[in-house]
Every structure is written in structure tokens, then in C-alpha cells.
């Protein structure tokens, strides 16, 4: 009979204890044992090692000097926020957003550069990223030598193993190795991830799915992104490529397939109104859907129909995702949420009509109007996930036992 690898088991148990402390905040050793089913001896040995490595710290609950308390104060364990610092950045068509965070994900500083990224050559984008990282680190009161990892996120198809951007709507150039360029400029380990995967990590670490290991995230902006968390790990596929929801086939029109992006992207919604100078300007500034909502409420039936069509298509796509992955939750984020019920009411109706009856009560749809800092914080969560040292290379199935 094949026995378990003792080194792997130690790594799994260490990650399990550390992740339990991260998820629960200050926690006693006995409670760690209860949540992980590890023995008191194992928990004691692992927490001693984590303390020696500076990853966790001791907090005392209560004051031994207080006359109202009997016995010693309770010893609690918490993450050491100064164990590591990372910088996360989101690249969008019209801005770059940076955040600097500590080991427990607290935002120490943030910065937004309003630039037309989609019109710039790669070298100029790398210049801006370098300058933005330096400024954000300085504003956080840190030095570059203290930063462990930089994580960049952007829409498109990213190859996880190499960090290569195979294609992206916000880059003028194709097949770009951003991580190598940024790492060489700053001398800091750099990760590149799709923005949908980054915000999926943010929801898992800090947001609407902190209690879940299985959920789907749908990002509806100028591009349509998809993040799938399955068994506590980002689902990447055989080649480690990020997922794109906009390429989902929704039907056939003549000789051409109709993709979800043809029906539900922001450009598909404005379509015939694209020649309107005011709306075109709002689209360039990332405020297109706010303008569309105003015009719908002023009586523009063409845009109202386009928003309803987009919502219905998204609802059908989400029903397909639930049928494929059976997640507990479908989280919807992105700038298209500015359309409000003009988009969401038809989305919910189409989802209800399309979902198979046995799955109707399985997954709930959660709307999260995350801001730019949350997206950039998601990139930081990707970096922190690497620093946590999961045996699976990212958040792993051991997390389930800690819930």
C-alpha cells in the first residue's frame, strides 16, 4: 500500500493552520484544533514554527492585571501583518490602479493613474507601472526592498505558468511578457493574472465568498470575464489559461456563431449609439453605462432594449455555468452594473427560466458593486496566495476542513 508523503502532509497541515488563522482572525490553539481536526501536539508544533518564521504573532485576550479576571489572559494567534508586503495593480483601458497591502491584506496606500492604456506601446505601459509601484510603495511608508511580490491584473487571456499575455483588449501589442519587463525594472518577483481571476481571489479572501470554496464570478465590463473557484482552487484548465466568458457561444446567425460578447458587452449595448459624441466620450472614460442608464430613464427605448437583451443573454450564460460547475454562488461584478435593474431584472428572469429544475435552488446570484481598489486588492490577493505557500500552488482543498 502506498503511504502518504510525510513532507506533503506537513506542508498541507501547515497551510491549513495558517489559513485557519487568516480566515478566523485572532484564534486560540484549541479552536484551531477543533476546526482542522489536527491534534493538539500537531497544532502546537506548527504554530511554534509559524511564530519562529514571523508569519503569525501572539495576542493576549484580557489583561492579567485586571482584578475582574481570574487566571491568565487567553493566548490568541493572529497573522503578523508585517510578515510581507505586496503591490497589486489593475490595468484597464483608461486607468491603472495600484494598492499596497500587508500580509493580512490591509490596504496601506492606493493610487489611480488616469491614462489611455489601450493606446500605449508596451514599453510606455511598463514605465507607468514602474512609476506607479514606486509612488504607491512610498505612500505606504515602505521601501521597494520590503516588497515581496508585485501582481498585475488585466482583462484577456493570460498564461498562468509564464505570465504571458496572449491577448488583451487593453494592450495594443499581442503576446506580451509583462511580468518579465516589470520584474527586470523593479527587481521584484512579478505575477500577471487575468482581472477576473484576481477579483475572484479578492471575493474568496475578503468578500462575498470568504465562506465558500466553490463559486463562480462573472465580470461584466467592456470585456466579459469569468473566474471559477472549485475546491478552493482557481480553475485554469490544462494549459493554465485564464477563462473568457465573452467567447461563450450563444447561438448561430447564418454562417457565423453568435458570442456572448456580441450581445452583452458594453460595446454591444451602445452599438448604434456609438456615433453619439457624448456617449463615445463617456465610454472612453469608463462611464458609458452610467450615461446609458440616464438615457434609458430619459426614454431611449433602443438602449432599453439593448440593456434587456444583454441581461437576458447573461442570465442564460449564468444558467449554463451553474449547470456545468454547480457552484453555491454566482457573484456578478463590473461597471455594467451601473445599468441597475434595466440589466438585472431581465438577467434574473432569464436565469430563472433557463436553470434546470434540480439546480434552481442550488446557486444564488449575488451582485457586488466592487470599486477599483477591490479589483487591485484582488491582484494583491493573488500575490499573497503565492506567499502563503499552499502545497497546491494556490488556495487549496485543505481549506474546506477549516470552515
Amino acid at each position: 500500500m502506498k503511504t502518504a508523503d510525510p513532507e506533503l502532509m506537513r506542508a498541507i497541515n501547515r497551510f491549513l493552520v495558517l489559513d485557519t488563522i487568516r480566515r478566523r482572525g485572532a484564534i486560540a490553539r484549541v479552536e484551531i484544533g477543533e476546526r482542522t481536526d489536527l491534534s493538539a501536539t500537531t497544532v502546537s508544533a506548527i504554530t511554534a514554527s509559524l511564530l519562529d518564521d514571523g508569519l503569525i504573532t501572539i495576542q493576549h485576550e484580557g489583561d492579567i492585571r485586571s482584578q475582574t479576571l481570574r487566571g491568565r489572559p487567553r493566548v490568541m494567534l493572529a497573522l503578523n501583518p508585517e510578515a510581507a508586503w505586496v503591490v497589486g495593480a489593475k490595468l484597464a483601458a483608461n486607468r491603472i490602479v495600484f494598492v499596497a497591502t500587508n500580509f493580512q491584506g490591509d490596504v496601506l496606500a492606493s493610487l489611480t493613474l488616469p491614462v489611455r492604456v489601450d493606446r500605449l506601446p508596451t514599453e510606455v505601459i511598463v514605465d507607468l507601472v514602474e512609476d506607479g509601484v514606486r509612488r504607491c510603495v512610498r505612500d505606504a511608508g515602505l521601501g521597494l526592498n520590503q516588497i515581496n511580490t508585485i501582481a498585475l491584473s488585466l482583462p484577456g487571456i493570460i498564461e498562468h505558468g509564464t505570465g504571458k499575455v496572449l491577448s488583451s483588449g487593453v494592450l495594443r501589442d499581442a503576446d506580451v511578457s509583462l511580468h518579465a519587463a516589470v520584474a527586470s525594472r523593479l527587481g521584484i518577483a512579478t505575477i500577471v493574472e487575468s482581472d477576473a481571476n484576481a477579483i475572484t481571489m479578492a471575493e474568496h479572501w475578503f468578500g462575498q465568498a470568504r465562506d465558500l470554496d466553490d463559486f463562480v464570478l462573472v465580470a461584466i465590463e467592456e470585456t466579459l470575464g469569468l473566474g471559477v473557484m472549485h475546491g478552493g482552487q482557481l480553475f485554469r484548465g490544462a494549459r493554465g489559461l485564464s477563462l473568457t466568458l465573452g467567447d461563450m457561444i450563444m447561438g448561430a446567425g447564418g454562417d457565423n456563431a453568435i458570442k456572448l460578447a456580441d450581445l452583452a458587452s458594453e460595446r454591444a449595448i451602445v452599438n448604434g449609439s456609438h456615433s453619439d459624441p457624448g456617449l463615445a466620450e463617456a465610454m472612453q472614460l469608463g462611464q458609458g453605462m452610467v450615461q446609458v442608464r440616464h438615457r434609458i430613464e430619459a426614454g431611449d427605448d433602443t438602449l432599453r432594449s439593448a440593456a434587456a437583451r444583454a441581461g437576458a443573454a447573461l442570465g442564460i450564460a449564468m444558467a449554463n455555468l451553474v449547470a456545468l460547475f454547480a457552484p453555491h454562488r454566482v457573484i456578478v461584478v463590473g461597471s455594467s452594473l451601473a445599468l441597475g435593474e434595466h440589466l438585472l431584472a431581465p438577467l434574473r428572469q432569464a436565469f430563472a427560466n433557463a436553470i434546470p429544475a434540480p439546480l434552481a435552488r442550488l446557486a444564488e446570484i449575488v451582485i457586488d458593486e466592487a470599486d477599483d481598489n477591490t479589483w487591485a486588492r484582488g491582484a494583491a490577493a493573488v500575490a499573497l496566495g503565492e506567499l502563503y505557500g499552499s502545497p497546491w500552488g494556490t488556495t487549496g482543498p485543505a481549506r474546506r476542513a477549516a470552515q
Side-chain angles (χ1 to χ4, degrees), residues 271-320:
N271 195 15
S273 305
H274 224 4
S275 58
D276 183 315
L279 188 52
E281 179 69 16
M283 289 287 289
Q284 289 184 0
L285 296 174
Q287 297 294 316
M289 295 303 99
V290 174
Q291 283 295 316
V292 169
R293 179 172 181 167
H294 291 332
R295 295 183 186 213
I296 290 174
E297 293 172 353
D300 191 321
D301 289 334
T302 300
L303 289 175
R304 183 189 305 274
S305 296
R309 179 193 65 201
L314 287 166
I316 293 170
M318 290 178 196
N320 285 330

Coordinates of all heavy atoms in Angstrom, one line a residue, residues 271-320:
N271 N -23.8 50.0 -29.2 CA -23.9 49.7 -30.6 C -24.3 50.9 -31.5 O -23.4 51.7 -31.8 CB -24.9 48.5 -30.8 CG -24.8 47.9 -32.2 OD1 -23.8 48.2 -32.9 ND2 -25.8 47.2 -32.6
G272 N -25.5 51.0 -31.9 CA -25.9 52.0 -32.8 C -25.8 53.4 -32.3 O -25.8 54.4 -33.0
S273 N -25.6 53.6 -31.0 CA -25.5 54.9 -30.3 C -24.0 55.3 -30.3 O -23.7 56.4 -29.7 CB -26.1 54.9 -28.9 OG -27.4 54.5 -29.0
H274 N -23.1 54.5 -30.8 CA -21.7 54.7 -30.7 C -21.2 56.0 -31.4 O -20.2 56.6 -31.0 CB -20.9 53.5 -31.3 CG -19.8 53.1 -30.4 ND1 -19.5 53.6 -29.2 CD2 -18.8 52.1 -30.7 CE1 -18.4 53.0 -28.7 NE2 -18.0 52.1 -29.6
S275 N -22.0 56.4 -32.4 CA -21.6 57.7 -33.1 C -22.0 58.9 -32.3 O -21.5 60.0 -32.6 CB -22.3 57.7 -34.4 OG -23.7 57.7 -34.2
D276 N -22.7 58.8 -31.2 CA -23.1 59.9 -30.3 C -21.8 60.4 -29.6 O -21.2 59.6 -28.8 CB -24.1 59.4 -29.3 CG -24.6 60.6 -28.4 OD1 -23.7 61.3 -27.9 OD2 -25.8 60.7 -28.2
P277 N -21.3 61.6 -29.8 CA -20.1 62.1 -29.2 C -20.1 62.0 -27.7 O -19.1 61.6 -27.1 CB -20.0 63.5 -29.7 CG -20.8 63.6 -30.9 CD -22.0 62.6 -30.7
G278 N -21.2 62.4 -27.1 CA -21.2 62.3 -25.6 C -21.1 60.9 -25.1 O -20.4 60.7 -24.1
L279 N -21.8 60.0 -25.7 CA -21.7 58.6 -25.2 C -20.3 58.0 -25.5 O -19.8 57.2 -24.7 CB -22.8 57.8 -25.9 CG -23.0 56.4 -25.4 CD1 -23.2 56.3 -23.8 CD2 -24.2 55.7 -26.0
A280 N -19.8 58.3 -26.7 CA -18.4 57.8 -27.0 C -17.4 58.3 -26.0 O -16.5 57.6 -25.6 CB -18.1 58.3 -28.4
E281 N -17.5 59.6 -25.6 CA -16.6 60.2 -24.6 C -16.8 59.5 -23.3 O -15.8 59.1 -22.6 CB -16.9 61.7 -24.5 CG -16.0 62.4 -23.5 CD -14.5 62.4 -23.9 OE1 -14.2 62.2 -25.1 OE2 -13.7 62.7 -23.0
A282 N -18.0 59.2 -22.9 CA -18.3 58.5 -21.6 C -17.7 57.1 -21.6 O -17.1 56.6 -20.6 CB -19.8 58.5 -21.3
M283 N -17.8 56.4 -22.8 CA -17.2 55.1 -22.9 C -15.7 55.1 -22.7 O -15.1 54.3 -22.0 CB -17.6 54.5 -24.3 CG -19.0 54.1 -24.4 SD -19.5 52.7 -23.5 CE -18.7 51.4 -24.4
Q284 N -15.0 56.1 -23.3 CA -13.6 56.2 -23.2 C -13.2 56.5 -21.7 O -12.1 56.0 -21.3 CB -13.1 57.4 -24.1 CG -13.1 57.0 -25.5 CD -12.5 58.2 -26.4 OE1 -12.1 59.2 -25.9 NE2 -12.5 58.0 -27.7
L285 N -14.0 57.1 -21.0 CA -13.7 57.5 -19.6 C -14.2 56.4 -18.6 O -14.0 56.5 -17.4 CB -14.3 58.8 -19.2 CG -13.8 60.0 -20.0 CD1 -14.6 61.3 -19.6 CD2 -12.3 60.3 -19.7
G286 N -14.8 55.3 -19.1 CA -15.2 54.2 -18.3 C -16.6 54.5 -17.6 O -16.9 53.9 -16.6
Q287 N -17.3 55.5 -18.1 CA -18.6 55.9 -17.6 C -19.7 55.7 -18.5 O -20.8 56.2 -18.4 CB -18.6 57.4 -17.2 CG -17.6 57.7 -16.1 CD -17.9 57.1 -14.8 OE1 -19.1 57.1 -14.4 NE2 -16.9 56.5 -14.1
G288 N -19.5 54.8 -19.5 CA -20.5 54.6 -20.6 C -21.8 54.1 -20.0 O -22.9 54.6 -20.4
M289 N -21.8 53.1 -19.1 CA -23.1 52.5 -18.6 C -23.9 53.5 -17.7 O -25.1 53.4 -17.7 CB -22.8 51.2 -17.9 CG -22.2 50.1 -18.8 SD -23.2 49.7 -20.3 CE -22.4 50.7 -21.6
V290 N -23.2 54.4 -17.1 CA -23.9 55.4 -16.3 C -24.7 56.3 -17.3 O -25.9 56.6 -17.0 CB -22.9 56.3 -15.5 CG1 -23.6 57.4 -14.8 CG2 -22.2 55.4 -14.5
Q291 N -24.0 56.7 -18.4 CA -24.7 57.5 -19.4 C -25.9 56.7 -20.0 O -27.0 57.3 -20.3 CB -23.7 58.0 -20.5 CG -22.8 59.1 -20.1 CD -23.6 60.4 -19.8 OE1 -24.5 60.7 -20.6 NE2 -23.3 61.0 -18.7
V292 N -25.7 55.5 -20.3 CA -26.7 54.7 -20.9 C -27.9 54.6 -20.0 O -29.1 54.7 -20.4 CB -26.2 53.2 -21.2 CG1 -27.4 52.3 -21.6 CG2 -25.2 53.3 -22.4
R293 N -27.7 54.4 -18.7 CA -28.8 54.4 -17.7 C -29.6 55.7 -17.7 O -30.8 55.7 -17.7 CB -28.3 54.1 -16.3 CG -29.4 54.0 -15.3 CD -28.9 53.5 -14.0 NE -30.0 53.5 -13.0 CZ -29.9 52.9 -11.8 NH1 -28.8 52.3 -11.5 NH2 -30.9 52.9 -11.0
H294 N -28.8 56.8 -17.7 CA -29.5 58.1 -17.8 C -30.4 58.2 -19.0 O -31.5 58.7 -18.9 CB -28.5 59.2 -17.7 CG -27.8 59.4 -16.4 ND1 -28.3 59.0 -15.2 CD2 -26.5 59.9 -16.2 CE1 -27.5 59.3 -14.3 NE2 -26.4 59.8 -14.8
R295 N -29.9 57.7 -20.1 CA -30.7 57.9 -21.4 C -31.9 56.9 -21.4 O -32.9 57.3 -22.0 CB -29.7 57.6 -22.6 CG -28.6 58.7 -22.6 CD -27.7 58.6 -23.8 NE -26.7 59.6 -23.7 CZ -26.1 60.2 -24.7 NH1 -26.5 59.9 -26.0 NH2 -25.1 61.1 -24.6
I296 N -31.7 55.8 -20.8 CA -32.8 54.9 -20.7 C -33.9 55.5 -19.9 O -35.1 55.5 -20.3 CB -32.4 53.5 -20.1 CG1 -31.5 52.7 -21.1 CG2 -33.6 52.7 -19.7 CD1 -30.9 51.5 -20.5
E297 N -33.6 56.1 -18.8 CA -34.5 56.7 -17.9 C -35.1 58.0 -18.5 O -36.2 58.4 -18.0 CB -33.9 56.9 -16.5 CG -33.6 55.6 -15.8 CD -32.8 55.7 -14.6 OE1 -32.3 56.8 -14.3 OE2 -32.6 54.7 -13.9
A298 N -34.4 58.5 -19.5 CA -35.0 59.7 -20.2 C -35.9 59.3 -21.4 O -36.4 60.1 -22.1 CB -33.9 60.6 -20.7
G299 N -36.0 57.9 -21.6 CA -36.9 57.5 -22.6 C -36.3 56.8 -23.9 O -37.0 56.7 -24.9
D300 N -35.0 56.5 -23.8 CA -34.4 55.9 -25.0 C -34.7 54.4 -25.1 O -34.1 53.6 -24.4 CB -32.9 56.1 -24.9 CG -32.2 55.7 -26.2 OD1 -32.6 54.8 -26.8 OD2 -31.2 56.4 -26.6
D301 N -35.7 54.1 -25.9 CA -36.2 52.7 -25.9 C -35.1 51.7 -26.6 O -35.1 50.5 -26.4 CB -37.5 52.6 -26.7 CG -38.6 53.2 -25.8 OD1 -38.5 53.2 -24.6 OD2 -39.6 53.7 -26.4
T302 N -34.3 52.3 -27.5 CA -33.3 51.5 -28.2 C -32.3 51.0 -27.2 O -32.0 49.8 -27.2 CB -32.6 52.3 -29.3 OG1 -33.6 52.7 -30.3 CG2 -31.6 51.4 -30.0
L303 N -31.8 51.9 -26.4 CA -30.8 51.4 -25.3 C -31.5 50.6 -24.3 O -30.9 49.6 -23.7 CB -30.2 52.7 -24.7 CG -29.2 53.4 -25.6 CD1 -28.7 54.7 -24.9 CD2 -28.0 52.5 -25.9
R304 N -32.8 50.8 -24.0 CA -33.5 50.0 -23.0 C -33.6 48.5 -23.5 O -33.3 47.6 -22.8 CB -34.9 50.5 -22.8 CG -35.7 49.7 -21.8 CD -37.2 50.2 -21.8 NE -37.3 51.6 -21.6 CZ -37.3 52.2 -20.4 NH1 -37.2 51.5 -19.3 NH2 -37.4 53.5 -20.3
S305 N -33.9 48.4 -24.8 CA -33.9 47.0 -25.4 C -32.6 46.4 -25.4 O -32.4 45.2 -25.2 CB -34.5 47.1 -26.8 OG -35.8 47.6 -26.8
A306 N -31.5 47.2 -25.7 CA -30.2 46.6 -25.7 C -29.7 46.1 -24.3 O -29.1 45.1 -24.2 CB -29.2 47.7 -26.3
A307 N -30.1 46.9 -23.3 CA -29.7 46.5 -21.9 C -30.5 45.3 -21.5 O -29.9 44.3 -20.9 CB -30.0 47.7 -21.0
A308 N -31.8 45.2 -21.9 CA -32.6 44.0 -21.6 C -32.0 42.8 -22.3 O -32.0 41.7 -21.7 CB -34.0 44.2 -22.0
R309 N -31.6 42.9 -23.6 CA -31.1 41.8 -24.3 C -29.8 41.3 -23.7 O -29.5 40.1 -23.6 CB -30.8 42.3 -25.8 CG -30.2 41.2 -26.7 CD -29.6 41.9 -28.0 NE -28.5 42.8 -27.7 CZ -28.2 43.8 -28.5 NH1 -28.8 44.0 -29.6 NH2 -27.2 44.6 -28.2
A310 N -29.0 42.3 -23.3 CA -27.7 41.9 -22.6 C -28.0 41.2 -21.3 O -27.3 40.1 -21.0 CB -26.9 43.2 -22.3
G311 N -28.9 41.6 -20.5 CA -29.3 41.0 -19.3 C -29.8 39.6 -19.5 O -29.4 38.6 -18.8
A312 N -30.6 39.4 -20.5 CA -31.2 38.1 -20.8 C -30.1 37.1 -21.2 O -30.0 36.0 -20.8 CB -32.3 38.2 -21.8
A313 N -29.2 37.6 -22.1 CA -28.1 36.7 -22.5 C -27.2 36.3 -21.3 O -26.7 35.2 -21.2 CB -27.3 37.5 -23.6
L314 N -26.9 37.3 -20.4 CA -26.1 37.0 -19.3 C -26.8 36.0 -18.4 O -26.1 35.1 -17.8 CB -25.8 38.2 -18.5 CG -24.7 39.2 -19.1 CD1 -24.8 40.6 -18.5 CD2 -23.3 38.6 -19.1
G315 N -28.1 36.1 -18.2 CA -28.8 35.2 -17.4 C -28.7 33.7 -17.9 O -28.6 32.8 -17.2
I316 N -28.8 33.6 -19.2 CA -28.7 32.3 -19.9 C -27.3 31.7 -19.7 O -27.1 30.5 -19.4 CB -29.1 32.3 -21.4 CG1 -30.6 32.7 -21.5 CG2 -28.8 31.0 -22.1 CD1 -31.0 33.0 -22.9
A317 N -26.3 32.6 -19.9 CA -24.9 32.2 -19.7 C -24.7 31.7 -18.3 O -24.0 30.7 -18.0 CB -24.0 33.3 -20.1
M318 N -25.2 32.4 -17.3 CA -25.0 32.0 -15.9 C -25.7 30.7 -15.6 O -25.2 29.9 -14.8 CB -25.5 33.1 -15.0 CG -24.7 34.4 -15.0 SD -25.4 35.6 -13.9 CE -24.5 37.1 -14.6
A319 N -26.9 30.5 -16.2 CA -27.5 29.2 -16.0 C -26.7 28.0 -16.6 O -26.6 27.0 -16.0 CB -28.9 29.2 -16.7
N320 N -26.0 28.3 -17.7 CA -25.1 27.3 -18.2 C -23.9 27.0 -17.3 O -23.5 25.9 -17.1 CB -24.5 27.8 -19.6 CG -25.5 27.6 -20.7 OD1 -26.4 26.7 -20.7 ND2 -25.5 28.5 -21.7

